[in-house]
Amino acid sequence: MSKSVLLVDDDRAVRDALGQTLMLDGYDVTLAASYIEAKDHITPEFGGVIVSDIRMPGKDGFDLLAFARGVDADLPVVLLTGEGDIPMAVRGLQAGAFNFLEKPCETQDFLSVVENALRSRRMVMENRVLKQKLEQGDAASRMLFGTSDLAEGLRAQARKTAKAGTNAMIFGAPGSGNFKVAEVVHLLSEASSAAFEKRTAAGLTLETLGEALKSAEGGTLFLDEISTLRQDVQFALNDALDAPNAPTIIGGTYESPAFFQEGGNFNSDLFYRLNVMTLRVPSLKERPEDIPDLFRHYVNIAAEQAGTPAPEVSPETISTLMAQDWPGNARALMNAAMRFTLGVSDGESGEDLGLTEQLARVERSLLTDALKRFRGNATEAAKALKLPRKTFYDKLARHEIRAELYR
C-alpha cells in the first residue's frame, strides 16, 4: 500500500516545509495550493491521506473536506489550523475530519497524526478489496480465498469437478474446510438450484441415510468424514447410487486415499464409484502466503457478527500468524480472528479475566454501543450515558475508541 499524502496549503513556505518533512519520512507527497488544484487528485481509489489548511482564499479547507467526503466518506482529512482557530478545528471534526493540528506543530506530532490517518485508510482499502472479491466472480472466487498457486489450483479443481457433475471425494486435514469446498462445487454445478445437504457420516443409519438421499434428490449430498460410515450404510449407499434422480454424492475425509485403497473397512466398490473426481484441500502450512487474506476475511466476519468496527491488522500481526504451522488450519485461524476482533489475547479467556478487566470490557461495550446508536455523535452519546463531555472523551481515549469510526 502506498504512503500517499495530498498536502494543501496556500502558504508556499508552510507547504514546502511540511512536504519535505513527509518526503523525508518516506511519503509520496502531492502538493497543492488551493481547493481547485487539489480536488482533481481526490478519487475513491486514492489510497492516501489529505492534509489541508483551513483558511485559504476562495474555497477553504471546509469546502475541501465536504468535497472529499462527497467523493469517499471514508477518506481521512487532517485539517491544519492557525493559532486561535481551535473552534474552527472542532467544527471540522464534527463535519467528519479525521483530526486537526495547530500550526506550527511538532514534527513528530504531525507525522504521528498522518500515520494514524494512513493506517485507517489502509484498513478501509483492504476491506474494500476483500468485499469486492466476495461480490465478484463465481462461487470459487467468492468463497475460496487465497492468492497462492495451491489456492488457485483448488479453485480450478472445484470448477472442473462441478462441470463434470459426478460424484467426488475431498481430501483435507481437520479444519481445512472440506465442507466449504463441497458447497462451492454444488453452487458451480448444474444442480445448484436444487438442495445441498450435509450429513455427518458417523451418525448415519439406514433410515437417516434414506432421509438424507430423499432431501438431496436432484441436488448434492455431502457426507462429512465418510471414512466413518457404517458398513451396512456403505452397502445401502452403493445401491442408492443407481436410483433415478439420485443426488450427487461428495465425500469429505481427513484420511488419505491409501486408507480407502488398502482394503480396510471401507467398501472398495463404493470408494471407486465416489472417487470419480478427486479434490485435495491444501493445509495452511503449505500455503502461508494465503494467511493474510484469510485472516482479514475472518476478522471482517467476526466484527460484523459482534457489531463492531473491524480492528486494524498490523504487519506485525500478519508476520506472527504466518510464522505458525496452524495444524487446525482454517478453523483455527478463524478462531484466532474472532479472539483478535474481541481483543482476547492468546491463552486468555473471559473466565481468566480479573474484575478490573471484566469491568473495562463492560465499559468499552457501553461506550461503543452509545456511539453506534448516535452514529458517532459524541455529545449525544455522552448525554445518553449521563457522563460529562470531558469524562466521556477521557474514557474514549483510555479504550482507544475513535468516535468518527461509528459515523
Side-chain angles (χ1 to χ4, degrees):
M1 183 70 69
S2 66
K3 295 179 64 175
S4 301
V5 177
L6 173 59
L7 179 62
V8 190
D9 198 309
D10 63 306
D11 187 324
R12 182 173 181 176
V14 173
R15 187 171 68 245
D16 290 345
L18 292 179
Q20 185 177 37
T21 297
L22 290 167
M23 285 186 281
L24 288 173
D25 203 54
Y27 287 90
D28 179 14
V29 184
T30 300
L31 301 177
S34 66
Y35 168 95
I36 296 297
E37 192 177 341
K39 71 181 186 66
D40 291 338
H41 297 284
I42 301 174
T43 66
E45 294 75 32
F46 178 59
V49 177
I50 300 171
V51 178
S52 175
D53 189 20
I54 291 181
R55 294 183 180 274
M56 294 186 294
K59 292 192 173 184
D60 60 15
F62 291 122
D63 293 311
L64 189 63
L65 171 62
F67 177 81
R69 287 183 62 78
V71 172
D72 184 347
D74 296 318
L75 185 54
V77 178
V78 177
L79 295 176
L80 300 175
T81 176
E83 186 178 356
D85 284 344
I86 298 300
M88 294 181 67
V90 172
R91 174 187 155 198
L93 292 179
Q94 292 173 339
F98 180 86
N99 209 332
F100 74 91
L101 288 163
E102 186 176 4
K103 296 186 295 185
C105 54
E106 294 291 332
T107 297
Q108 195 52 50
D109 291 341
F110 175 63
L111 292 175
S112 178
V113 168
V114 172
E115 176 57 31
N116 287 338
L118 186 65
R119 188 178 298 120
S120 174
R121 184 60 172 170
R122 184 180 295 122
M123 183 172 66
V124 166
M125 299 302 280
E126 287 173 350
N127 287 344
R128 285 181 182 174
V129 169
L130 288 176
K131 183 178 180 182
Q132 187 177 38
K133 286 181 180 179
L134 285 173
E135 293 174 346
Q136 293 180 348
D138 61 14
S141 299
R142 296 195 309 272
M143 299 169 65
L144 302 179
F145 284 82
T147 58
S148 68
D149 290 343
L150 287 174
E152 184 53 47
L154 178 60
R155 288 189 286 268
Q157 285 180 345
R159 294 181 182 114
K160 186 176 181 180
T161 301
K163 186 175 181 180
T166 63
N167 299 325
M169 289 286 291
I170 299 176
F171 298 90
S176 56
N178 292 349
F179 166 68
K180 181 65 69 177
V181 176
E183 186 180 12
V184 167
V185 171
H186 170 74
L187 291 173
L188 291 173
S189 72
E190 292 184 357
S192 60
S193 60
F196 175 71
E197 296 286 332
K198 174 192 175 184
R199 295 291 188 274
T200 302
L204 282 179
T205 63
L206 293 175
E207 182 180 358
T208 55
L209 173 65
E211 293 170 354
L213 290 168
K214 185 172 180 59
S215 296
E217 195 172 86
T220 304
L221 174 60
F222 173 65
L223 298 178
D224 193 22
E225 197 40 63
I226 197 169
S227 65
T228 61
L229 207 61
R230 282 174 15 185
Q231 285 197 337
D232 60 336
V233 179
Q234 292 179 35
F235 285 112
L237 177 59
N238 196 30
D239 290 340
L241 295 179
D242 296 321
N245 209 29
T248 298
I249 306 296
I250 299 179
T253 182
Y254 309 145
E255 302 289 352
S256 68
F259 173 88
F260 298 89
Q261 297 166 335
E262 289 173 353
N265 293 326
F266 200 87
N267 184 297
S268 60
D269 186 37
L270 175 59
F271 172 68
Y272 287 114
R273 294 188 70 185
L274 294 179
N275 197 39
V276 178
M277 297 295 290
T278 303
L279 298 95
R280 179 180 171 275
V281 185
S283 66
L284 286 184
K285 184 177 181 180
E286 297 175 86
R287 49 181 185 131
E289 62 269 41
D290 289 338
I291 288 175
D293 265 2
L294 285 165
F295 187 74
R296 290 190 179 100
H297 172 60
Y298 295 146
V299 165
N300 288 336
I301 291 175
E304 185 175 346
Q305 291 175 345
T308 62
E312 179 201 355
V313 182
S314 69
E316 293 76 19
T317 298
I318 292 298
S319 297
T320 301
L321 294 170
M322 292 179 69
Q324 299 179 47
D325 285 345
W326 296 104
N329 290 292
R331 189 178 299 132
L333 188 65
M334 187 182 299
N335 179 267
M338 176 67 77
R339 295 170 65 81
F340 175 82
T341 304
L342 297 177
V344 182
S345 61
D346 288 343
E348 180 187 49
S349 67
E351 291 75 15
D352 295 331
L353 298 177
L355 178 61
T356 301
E357 291 83 359
Q358 292 184 51
L359 289 174
R361 285 202 178 178
V362 172
E363 183 175 73
R364 178 182 174 84
S365 177
L366 291 172
L367 292 169
T368 56
D369 181 65
L371 287 170
K372 280 187 285 186
R373 280 190 288 128
F374 293 98
R375 297 184 179 179
N377 188 316
T379 300
E380 294 301 319
K383 286 180 182 178
L385 294 175
K386 298 181 180 179
L387 290 174
R389 186 179 175 87
K390 183 179 184 307
T391 302
F392 182 76
Y393 276 109
D394 286 344
K395 290 181 181 294
L396 292 185
R398 185 184 315 136
H399 291 285
E400 298 183 346
I401 299 172
R402 286 183 25 220
E404 64 268 20
L405 291 179
Y406 295 85
R407 291 173 186 152

